[in-house]
Amino acid sequence: MAKIKKILIANRGEIALRIIRACKELDIVSAVVYSTVDAKGVWVRKADEAYVMDGDPIQAYLNYERIIALAKEIGVDAIHPGYGFLSESAEFAQYCEDNGIIFIGPKPEHIALFGDKMASKVAMQEVGVPVVGGSEDPITDINVAKQIAKDIGFPVIIKAAFGGGGRGMRIVAKEEEFEEMFEAATNEAVKFFGKGDAFVEKYIKNPRHIEVQIVADKFGNVVHLGERDCSIQRRHQKVIEIAPSPLLSEEVRKELYRVSTKAMFRLGYESVGTIEFLVDEDDNFFFIEMNTRVQVEHPITEIISGIDIIQRMIQIAEGDKLIFMQDEIRTRGYAIEFRINAEDPRKGFQPSPGKITTYLAPGGPGVRIDSAAYKDYVIPGNYDSMVGKLIVWALDWPGVVNKARRALDEFIVGGIPTNIPLHRKIVRDLDFIEGKFNTTYLDKKLDDMLEDMVFDIEYKEEGEDNEEAARVAAIVGAMNYMRG
Ligand code: MV4
Protein backbone atom coordinates (compact mmCIF):
# COMPACT_ATOMS: atom_id res chain seq x y z
CA MET A 1 0.00 0.00 0.00
CA ALA A 2 1.10 3.53 -0.75
CA LYS A 3 2.50 5.74 1.94
CA ILE A 4 0.18 8.51 3.13
CA LYS A 5 1.76 11.87 2.34
CA LYS A 6 -1.10 14.23 3.07
CA ILE A 7 -4.06 13.99 5.42
CA LEU A 8 -7.19 16.11 5.51
CA ILE A 9 -8.62 16.44 9.01
CA ALA A 10 -12.40 16.70 8.99
CA ASN A 11 -12.67 17.94 12.54
CA ARG A 12 -11.96 20.85 14.87
CA GLY A 13 -10.73 21.79 18.32
CA GLU A 14 -8.37 19.75 20.41
CA ILE A 15 -8.73 16.56 18.36
CA ALA A 16 -7.80 18.39 15.15
CA LEU A 17 -4.69 19.65 16.94
CA ARG A 18 -3.99 16.14 18.27
CA ILE A 19 -4.12 14.71 14.72
CA ILE A 20 -1.91 17.53 13.38
CA ARG A 21 0.68 16.65 16.03
CA ALA A 22 0.65 13.01 14.92
CA CYS A 23 1.01 14.06 11.26
CA LYS A 24 4.02 16.22 12.03
CA GLU A 25 5.70 13.40 13.93
CA LEU A 26 5.10 11.09 10.95
CA ASP A 27 6.25 13.64 8.33
CA ILE A 28 2.78 13.81 6.85
CA VAL A 29 1.36 17.07 5.50
CA SER A 30 -1.74 18.12 7.44
CA ALA A 31 -4.68 20.04 6.02
CA VAL A 32 -7.86 21.11 7.80
CA VAL A 33 -11.27 22.34 6.81
CA TYR A 34 -12.68 24.94 9.17
CA SER A 35 -15.89 26.89 9.61
CA THR A 36 -16.08 30.67 9.63
CA VAL A 37 -16.56 30.72 13.43
CA ASP A 38 -13.39 28.62 13.85
CA ALA A 39 -11.06 30.96 11.94
CA LYS A 40 -9.16 31.82 15.14
CA GLY A 41 -8.75 28.17 16.15
CA VAL A 42 -5.16 27.34 17.07
CA TRP A 43 -5.37 24.14 14.98
CA VAL A 44 -6.13 26.25 11.90
CA ARG A 45 -2.78 27.99 12.38
CA LYS A 46 -0.85 24.85 13.25
CA ALA A 47 -2.03 22.82 10.23
CA ASP A 48 0.15 23.00 7.14
CA GLU A 49 -2.89 23.99 5.07
CA ALA A 50 -6.33 25.29 6.05
CA TYR A 51 -9.47 25.69 3.96
CA VAL A 52 -12.49 27.67 5.09
CA MET A 53 -15.97 26.20 4.56
CA ASP A 54 -18.48 29.02 4.24
CA GLY A 55 -22.03 28.67 5.42
CA ASP A 56 -23.40 26.70 8.32
CA PRO A 57 -20.68 26.16 10.98
CA ILE A 58 -21.75 22.57 11.68
CA GLN A 59 -22.18 21.61 8.02
CA ALA A 60 -18.57 22.72 7.50
CA TYR A 61 -17.58 19.46 9.22
CA LEU A 62 -20.46 17.31 7.94
CA ASN A 63 -20.97 18.09 4.25
CA TYR A 64 -18.97 15.24 2.82
CA GLU A 65 -19.49 15.93 -0.86
CA ARG A 66 -17.82 19.26 -0.27
CA ILE A 67 -15.10 17.78 1.91
CA ILE A 68 -14.27 15.06 -0.63
CA ALA A 69 -14.32 17.54 -3.51
CA LEU A 70 -11.77 19.64 -1.62
CA ALA A 71 -9.72 16.56 -0.72
CA LYS A 72 -9.41 15.66 -4.40
CA GLU A 73 -8.61 19.23 -5.38
CA ILE A 74 -5.75 19.59 -2.90
CA GLY A 75 -4.46 16.06 -3.43
CA VAL A 76 -4.86 14.35 -0.08
CA ASP A 77 -4.30 10.60 0.31
CA ALA A 78 -6.41 10.13 3.41
CA ILE A 79 -9.01 11.71 5.68
CA HIS A 80 -9.01 11.57 9.46
CA PRO A 81 -12.49 12.13 10.90
CA GLY A 82 -11.51 12.46 14.60
CA TYR A 83 -14.50 11.82 16.89
CA GLY A 84 -18.10 13.02 16.43
CA PHE A 85 -19.07 14.59 13.09
CA LEU A 86 -18.36 12.07 10.27
CA SER A 87 -16.34 9.61 12.34
CA GLU A 88 -19.10 7.00 12.60
CA SER A 89 -20.72 7.45 9.22
CA ALA A 90 -20.42 4.22 7.23
CA GLU A 91 -21.72 6.17 4.27
CA PHE A 92 -18.85 8.66 4.49
CA ALA A 93 -16.26 5.90 4.90
CA GLN A 94 -17.67 4.23 1.78
CA TYR A 95 -17.77 7.54 -0.11
CA CYS A 96 -14.06 8.09 0.68
CA GLU A 97 -13.24 4.61 -0.61
CA ASP A 98 -15.32 5.16 -3.78
CA ASN A 99 -13.36 8.34 -4.43
CA GLY A 100 -9.96 6.74 -3.96
CA ILE A 101 -9.28 8.38 -0.60
CA ILE A 102 -8.29 6.37 2.46
CA PHE A 103 -10.73 6.73 5.36
CA ILE A 104 -8.61 6.53 8.52
CA GLY A 105 -10.83 4.21 10.49
CA PRO A 106 -12.57 0.85 10.28
CA LYS A 107 -14.24 -0.67 7.24
CA PRO A 108 -17.69 0.74 6.36
CA GLU A 109 -19.39 -2.59 7.15
CA HIS A 110 -18.02 -2.56 10.71
CA ILE A 111 -19.07 1.06 11.25
CA ALA A 112 -22.56 0.13 10.03
CA LEU A 113 -22.73 -3.03 12.15
CA PHE A 114 -21.77 -1.28 15.39
CA GLY A 115 -24.01 1.68 14.59
CA ASP A 116 -26.90 -0.72 15.09
CA LYS A 117 -26.91 -1.53 18.81
CA MET A 118 -29.10 -4.56 18.43
CA ALA A 119 -27.30 -6.08 15.45
CA SER A 120 -23.94 -5.55 17.17
CA LYS A 121 -25.18 -7.34 20.30
CA VAL A 122 -26.15 -10.37 18.22
CA ALA A 123 -22.85 -10.29 16.30
CA MET A 124 -20.79 -10.05 19.48
CA GLN A 125 -22.72 -12.85 21.17
CA GLU A 126 -22.00 -15.06 18.15
CA VAL A 127 -18.26 -14.53 18.59
CA GLY A 128 -18.34 -15.39 22.28
CA VAL A 129 -18.91 -12.08 24.09
CA PRO A 130 -21.41 -12.03 26.98
CA VAL A 131 -24.33 -9.67 26.36
CA VAL A 132 -27.19 -8.53 28.59
CA GLY A 133 -30.22 -10.80 28.29
CA GLY A 134 -33.10 -9.37 26.31
CA SER A 135 -34.87 -9.15 22.97
CA GLU A 136 -32.88 -10.07 19.88
CA ASP A 137 -35.07 -8.57 17.16
CA PRO A 138 -36.39 -5.07 16.73
CA ILE A 139 -39.71 -4.81 18.47
CA THR A 140 -42.46 -2.68 17.06
CA ASP A 141 -45.42 -4.37 18.70
CA ILE A 142 -45.78 -3.02 22.20
CA ASN A 143 -47.50 -6.19 23.45
CA VAL A 144 -44.65 -8.35 22.22
CA ALA A 145 -42.24 -5.96 23.95
CA LYS A 146 -44.18 -6.18 27.19
CA GLN A 147 -44.22 -9.96 27.10
CA ILE A 148 -40.45 -10.00 26.62
CA ALA A 149 -40.05 -7.59 29.55
CA LYS A 150 -42.17 -9.90 31.73
CA ASP A 151 -40.08 -12.90 30.69
CA ILE A 152 -36.84 -11.08 31.53
CA GLY A 153 -38.27 -9.78 34.81
CA PHE A 154 -38.43 -6.16 35.99
CA PRO A 155 -36.60 -3.82 36.19
CA VAL A 156 -35.84 -3.66 32.48
CA ILE A 157 -34.30 -1.01 30.29
CA ILE A 158 -35.64 0.01 26.88
CA LYS A 159 -33.00 1.18 24.42
CA ALA A 160 -33.19 2.70 20.95
CA ALA A 161 -31.34 0.53 18.41
CA PHE A 162 -29.86 3.58 16.70
CA GLY A 163 -29.70 5.74 19.80
CA GLY A 164 -26.92 7.28 21.80
CA GLY A 165 -26.22 9.68 24.62
CA GLY A 166 -29.00 8.20 26.70
CA ARG A 167 -31.66 9.33 24.25
CA GLY A 168 -34.40 6.82 23.53
CA MET A 169 -33.54 5.02 26.76
CA ARG A 170 -35.97 4.30 29.60
CA ILE A 171 -35.68 2.29 32.78
CA VAL A 172 -38.90 0.50 33.66
CA ALA A 173 -39.27 -0.54 37.30
CA LYS A 174 -42.58 -2.39 37.04
CA GLU A 175 -45.04 -3.83 34.54
CA GLU A 176 -47.63 -1.05 34.97
CA GLU A 177 -45.19 1.55 33.68
CA PHE A 178 -44.09 -0.39 30.63
CA GLU A 179 -46.48 0.94 27.96
CA GLU A 180 -45.90 4.58 28.79
CA MET A 181 -42.13 4.16 28.88
CA PHE A 182 -42.03 2.20 25.64
CA GLU A 183 -44.00 4.94 23.86
CA ALA A 184 -41.70 7.61 25.29
CA ALA A 185 -38.53 5.75 24.28
CA THR A 186 -39.60 5.02 20.71
CA ASN A 187 -41.01 8.53 20.18
CA GLU A 188 -37.73 10.03 21.36
CA ALA A 189 -35.80 7.67 19.09
CA VAL A 190 -37.88 8.71 16.06
CA LYS A 191 -37.42 12.38 16.95
CA PHE A 192 -33.64 12.23 17.38
CA PHE A 193 -32.50 9.38 15.17
CA GLY A 194 -35.27 9.04 12.59
CA LYS A 195 -35.80 5.38 13.49
CA GLY A 196 -37.92 4.11 16.35
CA ASP A 197 -36.48 0.58 16.57
CA ALA A 198 -36.10 -0.39 20.19
CA PHE A 199 -35.09 -3.38 22.27
CA VAL A 200 -35.52 -4.48 25.85
CA GLU A 201 -32.82 -5.63 28.28
CA LYS A 202 -32.52 -6.70 31.89
CA TYR A 203 -31.59 -3.60 33.88
CA ILE A 204 -28.19 -3.90 35.57
CA LYS A 205 -28.06 -2.09 38.93
CA ASN A 206 -25.14 0.17 39.81
CA PRO A 207 -22.89 -0.95 36.94
CA ARG A 208 -19.37 0.19 36.29
CA HIS A 209 -18.69 1.30 32.75
CA ILE A 210 -15.49 -0.34 31.56
CA GLU A 211 -14.16 -0.15 28.01
CA VAL A 212 -11.36 -2.05 26.31
CA GLN A 213 -9.10 -0.30 23.77
CA ILE A 214 -8.49 -2.40 20.67
CA VAL A 215 -5.85 -1.92 17.98
CA ALA A 216 -6.07 -4.17 14.91
CA ASP A 217 -4.19 -4.11 11.62
CA LYS A 218 -5.23 -5.31 8.17
CA PHE A 219 -3.45 -8.65 8.67
CA GLY A 220 -5.52 -10.09 11.51
CA ASN A 221 -3.22 -8.93 14.28
CA VAL A 222 -5.41 -7.78 17.17
CA VAL A 223 -4.11 -6.40 20.45
CA HIS A 224 -5.69 -4.58 23.39
CA LEU A 225 -4.15 -1.67 25.27
CA GLY A 226 -5.96 -2.33 28.53
CA GLU A 227 -9.17 -0.84 29.85
CA ARG A 228 -10.57 2.50 30.90
CA ASP A 229 -13.10 3.09 33.66
CA CYS A 230 -15.60 5.67 32.42
CA SER A 231 -18.13 5.30 35.21
CA ILE A 232 -17.95 8.94 36.29
CA GLN A 233 -20.53 10.51 34.04
CA ARG A 234 -23.23 13.14 34.18
CA ARG A 235 -26.29 12.73 31.97
CA HIS A 236 -24.47 10.18 29.82
CA GLN A 237 -21.57 12.56 29.27
CA LYS A 238 -18.24 11.27 30.52
CA VAL A 239 -16.61 13.64 32.99
CA ILE A 240 -13.57 11.71 34.25
CA GLU A 241 -11.91 8.62 32.74
CA ILE A 242 -9.36 6.40 34.41
CA ALA A 243 -6.89 3.82 33.14
CA PRO A 244 -6.64 1.14 34.34
CA SER A 245 -9.82 0.68 36.42
CA PRO A 246 -8.67 0.93 40.07
CA LEU A 247 -10.85 -1.80 41.62
CA LEU A 248 -11.28 -4.36 38.85
CA SER A 249 -10.36 -7.93 39.75
CA GLU A 250 -7.58 -9.56 37.74
CA GLU A 251 -9.90 -12.40 36.68
CA VAL A 252 -12.48 -10.03 35.21
CA ARG A 253 -9.77 -7.96 33.56
CA LYS A 254 -8.23 -11.01 31.89
CA GLU A 255 -11.60 -12.22 30.64
CA LEU A 256 -12.51 -8.79 29.26
CA TYR A 257 -9.27 -8.72 27.30
CA ARG A 258 -9.64 -12.29 26.08
CA VAL A 259 -13.20 -11.98 24.78
CA SER A 260 -12.55 -8.53 23.28
CA THR A 261 -9.51 -9.47 21.22
CA LYS A 262 -11.00 -12.79 20.16
CA ALA A 263 -14.21 -11.13 18.98
CA MET A 264 -12.40 -8.47 16.96
CA PHE A 265 -10.20 -11.13 15.37
CA ARG A 266 -13.22 -13.23 14.41
CA LEU A 267 -15.09 -10.25 12.99
CA GLY A 268 -12.04 -9.14 10.98
CA TYR A 269 -12.09 -5.68 12.56
CA GLU A 270 -9.35 -3.24 11.62
CA SER A 271 -8.19 0.15 12.93
CA VAL A 272 -8.67 1.24 16.53
CA GLY A 273 -11.90 0.75 18.43
CA THR A 274 -13.37 0.55 21.90
CA ILE A 275 -15.59 -2.17 23.29
CA GLU A 276 -17.87 -0.96 26.08
CA PHE A 277 -19.00 -3.22 28.90
CA LEU A 278 -21.13 -2.92 31.97
CA VAL A 279 -19.67 -4.71 35.01
CA ASP A 280 -22.27 -5.51 37.68
CA GLU A 281 -21.90 -5.67 41.47
CA ASP A 282 -21.07 -9.39 41.31
CA ASP A 283 -18.33 -8.84 38.71
CA ASN A 284 -20.35 -10.21 35.79
CA PHE A 285 -19.70 -8.26 32.64
CA PHE A 286 -21.78 -7.62 29.54
CA PHE A 287 -21.04 -6.04 26.20
CA ILE A 288 -23.20 -2.97 25.52
CA GLU A 289 -21.75 -1.26 22.48
CA MET A 290 -18.67 -0.66 20.42
CA ASN A 291 -17.23 2.68 19.34
CA THR A 292 -15.60 2.48 15.92
CA ARG A 293 -13.61 5.70 16.28
CA VAL A 294 -10.80 7.19 18.30
CA GLN A 295 -12.30 8.35 21.56
CA VAL A 296 -11.99 11.57 23.51
CA GLU A 297 -10.37 9.61 26.35
CA HIS A 298 -7.69 7.86 24.26
CA PRO A 299 -4.80 9.83 25.90
CA ILE A 300 -4.99 7.98 29.23
CA THR A 301 -4.34 4.73 27.37
CA GLU A 302 -1.49 6.32 25.43
CA ILE A 303 0.07 7.45 28.69
CA ILE A 304 -0.02 4.07 30.45
CA SER A 305 0.94 2.05 27.36
CA GLY A 306 3.41 4.41 25.69
CA ILE A 307 1.68 3.77 22.37
CA ASP A 308 0.54 6.68 20.22
CA ILE A 309 -2.97 5.62 19.22
CA ILE A 310 -3.43 8.28 16.53
CA GLN A 311 -0.11 7.46 14.86
CA ARG A 312 -0.98 3.78 14.97
CA MET A 313 -4.40 4.47 13.45
CA ILE A 314 -2.79 6.33 10.55
CA GLN A 315 -0.20 3.62 10.01
CA ILE A 316 -2.80 0.86 10.05
CA ALA A 317 -4.80 2.76 7.40
CA GLU A 318 -1.59 2.97 5.39
CA GLY A 319 -1.34 -0.82 5.45
CA ASP A 320 1.41 -1.21 8.05
CA LYS A 321 1.59 -4.33 10.18
CA LEU A 322 1.49 -3.81 13.95
CA ILE A 323 5.04 -3.39 15.23
CA PHE A 324 4.19 -4.85 18.63
CA MET A 325 2.42 -8.02 19.68
CA GLN A 326 0.42 -8.44 22.89
CA ASP A 327 3.31 -9.80 24.94
CA GLU A 328 5.41 -6.73 24.14
CA ILE A 329 2.79 -4.33 25.46
CA ARG A 330 3.00 -3.29 29.09
CA THR A 331 0.99 -0.70 30.91
CA ARG A 332 2.52 1.21 33.74
CA GLY A 333 0.87 3.20 36.52
CA TYR A 334 -2.42 5.09 36.43
CA ALA A 335 -3.70 7.91 34.28
CA ILE A 336 -6.78 10.08 34.80
CA GLU A 337 -8.41 12.40 32.28
CA PHE A 338 -10.53 15.36 33.37
CA ARG A 339 -12.73 16.88 30.72
CA ILE A 340 -12.62 20.63 31.13
CA ASN A 341 -15.91 22.03 29.87
CA ALA A 342 -17.13 25.57 29.38
CA GLU A 343 -20.24 25.09 31.50
CA ASP A 344 -21.59 26.57 34.70
CA PRO A 345 -22.08 24.05 37.51
CA ARG A 346 -24.22 26.66 39.35
CA LYS A 347 -26.65 26.86 36.46
CA GLY A 348 -27.31 23.19 35.86
CA PHE A 349 -24.10 22.91 33.86
CA GLN A 350 -25.48 25.06 31.10
CA PRO A 351 -22.91 25.67 28.35
CA SER A 352 -20.94 28.88 28.86
CA PRO A 353 -19.09 29.68 25.65
CA GLY A 354 -17.25 32.98 25.40
CA LYS A 355 -13.86 34.59 25.69
CA ILE A 356 -11.11 33.07 27.79
CA THR A 357 -9.50 36.12 29.40
CA THR A 358 -6.94 34.26 31.51
CA TYR A 359 -5.39 30.92 30.73
CA LEU A 360 -2.66 29.20 32.71
CA ALA A 361 -2.46 25.46 32.14
CA PRO A 362 -0.77 23.22 34.71
CA GLY A 363 2.51 21.54 33.85
CA GLY A 364 5.34 19.65 35.47
CA PRO A 365 5.96 15.92 35.67
CA GLY A 366 3.10 13.59 34.79
CA VAL A 367 0.84 16.29 33.35
CA ARG A 368 -0.49 16.42 29.79
CA ILE A 369 -2.90 18.96 28.33
CA ASP A 370 -4.80 18.24 25.12
CA SER A 371 -6.52 21.51 24.36
CA ALA A 372 -6.91 24.14 21.68
CA ALA A 373 -7.52 26.88 24.26
CA TYR A 374 -5.38 29.98 24.76
CA LYS A 375 -5.75 33.41 26.34
CA ASP A 376 -8.20 35.57 24.35
CA TYR A 377 -9.61 32.56 22.46
CA VAL A 378 -13.36 32.82 22.07
CA ILE A 379 -15.09 29.45 22.48
CA PRO A 380 -17.88 29.45 19.90
CA GLY A 381 -21.35 28.43 21.00
CA ASN A 382 -21.91 26.29 17.91
CA TYR A 383 -20.27 23.08 19.12
CA ASP A 384 -19.85 21.02 22.28
CA SER A 385 -18.52 22.79 25.34
CA MET A 386 -15.23 20.95 25.86
CA VAL A 387 -12.32 23.38 26.33
CA GLY A 388 -9.74 20.67 26.67
CA LYS A 389 -8.55 17.72 28.68
CA LEU A 390 -6.19 17.48 31.61
CA ILE A 391 -4.42 14.13 31.75
CA VAL A 392 -2.30 13.17 34.75
CA TRP A 393 -0.14 10.14 35.38
CA ALA A 394 1.61 8.54 38.35
CA LEU A 395 2.96 5.12 39.26
CA ASP A 396 0.14 4.24 41.66
CA TRP A 397 -3.45 5.22 42.42
CA PRO A 398 -2.79 7.41 45.51
CA GLY A 399 -0.04 9.13 43.56
CA VAL A 400 -2.22 9.95 40.60
CA VAL A 401 -4.98 11.34 42.84
CA ASN A 402 -2.44 13.66 44.49
CA LYS A 403 -1.11 14.60 41.08
CA ALA A 404 -4.61 15.43 39.90
CA ARG A 405 -5.29 17.60 42.95
CA ARG A 406 -2.10 19.55 42.38
CA ALA A 407 -2.66 19.99 38.63
CA LEU A 408 -6.33 21.01 39.01
CA ASP A 409 -5.37 23.60 41.63
CA GLU A 410 -2.81 25.07 39.22
CA PHE A 411 -5.28 25.31 36.35
CA ILE A 412 -6.63 28.81 35.69
CA VAL A 413 -9.31 29.43 33.11
CA GLY A 414 -10.75 32.93 33.42
CA GLY A 415 -13.52 34.81 31.69
CA ILE A 416 -15.93 31.90 31.46
CA PRO A 417 -17.20 29.47 34.07
CA THR A 418 -15.88 25.91 33.77
CA ASN A 419 -16.34 22.60 35.56
CA ILE A 420 -12.84 22.76 37.11
CA PRO A 421 -14.37 23.46 40.57
CA LEU A 422 -16.33 20.18 40.28
CA HIS A 423 -13.17 18.25 39.41
CA ARG A 424 -11.43 19.78 42.44
CA LYS A 425 -14.26 18.46 44.63
CA ILE A 426 -14.19 14.97 43.14
CA VAL A 427 -10.45 14.47 43.72
CA ARG A 428 -11.07 15.29 47.40
CA ASP A 429 -13.98 12.87 47.78
CA LEU A 430 -13.22 9.84 49.97
CA ASP A 431 -15.01 7.34 47.75
CA PHE A 432 -13.12 8.60 44.72
CA ILE A 433 -9.84 8.45 46.65
CA GLU A 434 -10.60 4.82 47.53
CA GLY A 435 -11.43 4.04 43.90
CA LYS A 436 -15.06 3.31 44.80
CA PHE A 437 -17.37 4.55 42.06
CA ASN A 438 -19.88 3.29 39.55
CA THR A 439 -22.17 4.97 37.03
CA THR A 440 -24.40 6.31 39.82
CA TYR A 441 -21.49 8.06 41.61
CA LEU A 442 -21.92 11.60 40.27
CA ASP A 443 -25.71 11.64 40.44
CA LYS A 444 -25.50 10.72 44.11
CA LYS A 445 -22.73 13.17 45.03
CA LEU A 446 -23.44 16.18 42.85
CA ASP A 447 -25.80 18.10 45.14
CA ASP A 448 -23.45 17.86 48.11
CA MET A 449 -20.48 18.81 45.99
CA LEU A 450 -22.30 21.86 44.59
CA GLU A 451 -23.22 22.93 48.11
CA ASP A 452 -19.74 24.14 49.05
CA MET A 453 -17.96 24.33 45.73
CA VAL A 454 -15.34 27.07 45.43
CA PHE A 455 -15.77 29.10 42.29
CA ASP A 456 -13.05 31.24 40.85
CA ILE A 457 -15.41 34.13 40.17
CA GLU A 458 -12.50 36.51 40.39
CA TYR A 459 -11.29 35.19 37.06
CA LYS A 460 -14.34 36.58 35.36
CA GLU A 461 -12.97 40.10 35.31
CA GLU A 462 -11.89 40.96 31.82
CA GLY A 463 -8.49 42.46 31.17
CA GLU A 464 -6.92 41.23 34.39
CA ASP A 465 -3.28 40.32 34.00
CA ASN A 466 -1.64 37.01 34.74
CA GLU A 467 -0.10 38.26 37.94
CA GLU A 468 -3.53 38.95 39.34
CA ALA A 469 -4.76 35.58 38.11
CA ALA A 470 -1.82 33.81 39.72
CA ARG A 471 -2.53 35.57 43.02
CA VAL A 472 -6.14 34.41 42.87
CA ALA A 473 -5.04 30.90 41.98
CA ALA A 474 -2.79 30.81 45.03
CA ILE A 475 -5.73 31.80 47.24
CA VAL A 476 -8.03 29.21 45.68
CA GLY A 477 -5.30 26.60 45.96
CA ALA A 478 -4.84 27.40 49.63
CA MET A 479 -8.60 27.24 50.22
CA ASN A 480 -8.81 23.87 48.53
CA TYR A 481 -5.83 22.68 50.54
CA MET A 482 -7.37 23.76 53.85
CA ARG A 483 -10.60 22.02 52.98
CA GLY A 484 -8.64 18.82 52.56
C1 MV4 B 1 -27.61 -0.09 30.72
C2 MV4 B 1 -27.67 0.18 32.10
C3 MV4 B 1 -28.18 -0.80 32.92
N1 MV4 B 1 -28.61 -1.97 32.41
N2 MV4 B 1 -28.04 -1.27 30.26
C4 MV4 B 1 -26.27 4.24 29.31
C5 MV4 B 1 -25.79 4.70 28.00
C6 MV4 B 1 -25.69 3.52 27.13
N3 MV4 B 1 -24.42 3.53 26.49
C7 MV4 B 1 -25.89 2.34 28.02
N4 MV4 B 1 -26.30 2.84 29.31
C8 MV4 B 1 -26.72 2.00 30.28
N5 MV4 B 1 -27.13 0.80 29.85
C9 MV4 B 1 -28.54 -2.18 31.08
N6 MV4 B 1 -28.96 -3.35 30.60
C10 MV4 B 1 -27.23 1.41 32.55
C11 MV4 B 1 -26.75 2.34 31.64
C12 MV4 B 1 -26.33 3.59 32.21
C13 MV4 B 1 -25.01 4.02 32.13
C14 MV4 B 1 -24.03 3.28 31.49
C15 MV4 B 1 -22.75 3.72 31.41
C16 MV4 B 1 -22.42 4.93 31.99
C17 MV4 B 1 -23.36 5.70 32.63
C18 MV4 B 1 -24.67 5.26 32.71
C19 MV4 B 1 -25.61 6.02 33.38
C20 MV4 B 1 -26.89 5.59 33.43
C21 MV4 B 1 -27.25 4.38 32.85
Side-chain angles (χ1 to χ4, degrees):
M1 250 199 174
K3 171 142 178 51
I4 294 174
K5 293 193 222 52
K6 186 169 177 177
I7 288 175
L8 179 62
I9 300 160
N11 216 301
R12 62 178 302 283
E14 68 85 22
I15 194 64
L17 185 58
R18 173 70 190 85
I19 299 163
I20 291 167
R21 285 171 170 156
C23 288
K24 291 194 190 292
E25 289 166 15
L26 292 171
D27 279 321
I28 294 171
V29 176
S30 56
V32 295
V33 289
Y34 67 97
S35 72
T36 52
V37 300
D38 276 341
K40 293 255 166 71
V42 67
W43 68 96
V44 175
R45 272 185 283 150
K46 296 290 176 191
D48 294 316
E49 299 173 19
Y51 301 90
V52 69
M53 291 288 187
D54 293 326
D56 182 79
I58 292 171
Q59 280 306 311
Y61 303 102
L62 282 179
N63 184 338
Y64 59 76
E65 280 92 355
R66 241 175 120 189
I67 291 168
I68 293 289
L70 175 78
K72 287 169 140 177
E73 200 180 303
I74 63 171
V76 311
D77 309 300
I79 294 190
H80 201 304
Y83 50 69
F85 297 114
L86 292 169
S87 62
E88 286 172 293
S89 165
E91 217 177 304
F92 176 63
Q94 186 62 52
Y95 193 70
C96 288
E97 208 171 281
D98 295 346
N99 283 275
I101 290 167
I102 298 169
F103 173 82
I104 302 173
K107 290 178 269 197
E109 60 261 39
H110 286 134
I111 301 176
L113 171 65
F114 290 112
D116 180 337
K117 307 273 177 293
M118 219 179 328
S120 52
K121 245 181 100 174
V122 174
M124 288 294 261
Q125 189 169 28
E126 279 172 3
V127 292
V129 182
V131 301
V132 191
S135 54
E136 287 185 10
D137 303 295
I139 330 166
T140 38
D141 186 328
I142 193 162
N143 294 312
V144 176
K146 195 171 172 180
Q147 189 53 52
I148 293 169
K150 276 158 73 176
D151 293 346
I152 300 168
F154 288 91
V156 299
I157 184 165
I158 304 165
K159 293 181 179 180
F162 300 93
R167 292 226 163 92
M169 213 171 82
R170 289 290 185 284
I171 299 159
V172 192
K174 46 184 192 285
E175 193 183 328
E176 298 77 66
E177 295 167 359
F178 189 83
E179 267 116 351
E180 193 187 324
M181 292 294 202
F182 190 82
E183 296 282 352
T186 53
N187 287 344
E188 203 169 279
V190 171
K191 189 171 152 202
F192 285 97
F193 313 108
K195 291 187 207 180
D197 298 21
F199 59 105
V200 180
E201 273 180 359
K202 178 77 194 160
Y203 179 66
I204 314 271
K205 281 191 206 104
N206 304 323
R208 278 170 287 165
H209 174 124
I210 307 285
E211 54 185 39
V212 176
Q213 176 69 56
I214 293 293
V215 181
D217 68 15
K218 291 180 190 289
F219 306 95
N221 300 303
V222 180
V223 298
H224 69 79
L225 301 181
E227 84 282 4
R228 297 184 284 258
D229 190 320
C230 303
S231 299
I232 302 185
Q233 310 201 356
R234 189 187 155 269
R235 307 241 171 122
H236 303 292
Q237 296 296 315
K238 292 167 186 166
V239 177
I240 294 175
E241 302 99 343
I242 297 151
S245 181
L247 290 183
L248 193 67
S249 78
E250 277 309 312
E251 292 111 275
V252 175
R253 179 172 282 130
K254 260 177 68 183
E255 268 302 283
L256 281 171
Y257 296 165
R258 188 184 67 78
V259 301
S260 298
T261 49
K262 188 180 90 180
M264 290 303 108
F265 174 76
R266 291 189 52 187
L267 292 173
Y269 188 81
E270 76 173 57
S271 189
V272 307
T274 304
I275 310 179
E276 294 187 353
F277 295 92
L278 295 180
V279 180
D280 75 12
E281 290 171 315
D282 302 319
D283 266 3
N284 302 300
F285 64 85
F286 310 94
F287 164 79
I288 44 170
E289 52 192 82
M290 168 140 193
N291 298 312
T292 55
R293 61 170 190 277
V294 67
Q295 286 188 281
V296 174
E297 60 271 27
H298 77 276
I300 52 175
T301 301
E302 294 187 322
I303 293 292
I304 62 163
S305 69
I307 290 168
D308 186 313
I309 292 172
I310 306 281
Q311 281 192 13
R312 218 26 63 197
M313 196 177 177
I314 293 169
Q315 293 181 312
I316 288 166
E318 215 168 38
D320 280 7
K321 271 203 175 106
L322 286 187
I323 52 165
F324 42 75
M325 290 300 110
Q326 195 65 62
D327 61 357
E328 298 166 276
I329 299 164
R330 291 278 180 282
T331 70
R332 191 156 187 250
Y334 286 87
I336 312 179
E337 174 179 278
F338 298 86
R339 295 193 189 195
I340 312 299
N341 297 332
E343 60 189 19
D344 194 338
R346 289 160 298 192
K347 296 181 184 159
F349 293 86
Q350 95 182 16
S352 58
K355 186 169 176 169
I356 297 174
T357 55
T358 318
Y359 185 77
L360 285 177
V367 175
R368 166 174 165 177
I369 300 281
D370 277 24
S371 173
Y374 58 90
K375 179 174 154 60
D376 292 336
Y377 176 56
V378 180
I379 299 167
N382 310 71
Y383 310 101
D384 72 39
S385 62
M386 202 173 71
V387 184
K389 308 176 302 201
L390 164 65
I391 302 111
V392 293
W393 177 88
L395 272 175
D396 56 16
W397 176 249
V400 80
V401 175
N402 282 331
K403 179 85 71 180
R405 221 175 280 154
R406 187 275 285 174
L408 286 162
D409 288 353
E410 266 181 43
F411 214 149
I412 304 174
V413 179
I416 49 160
T418 72
N419 62 346
I420 292 174
L422 171 64
H423 288 313
R424 290 183 182 142
K425 290 295 289 186
I426 295 172
V427 295
R428 288 171 172 79
D429 174 64
L430 266 179
D431 287 326
F432 180 83
I433 291 167
E434 288 175 15
K436 286 189 206 147
F437 38 79
N438 59 45
T439 52
T440 62
Y441 171 88
L442 253 194
D443 284 340
K444 285 185 183 141
K445 300 255 175 181
L446 202 52
D447 283 346
D448 278 349
M449 287 184 175
L450 279 165
E451 190 80 359
D452 57 348
M453 209 176 273
V454 178
F455 288 95
D456 315 344
I457 43 169
E458 295 88 343
Y459 305 161
K460 287 197 85 168
E461 298 308 317
E462 232 188 281
E464 70 182 346
D465 58 19
N466 286 349
E467 201 182 319
E468 169 69 4
R471 199 176 57 75
V472 174
I475 295 166
V476 172
M479 283 167 77
N480 281 324
Y481 179 78
M482 285 186 296
R483 294 137 60 87

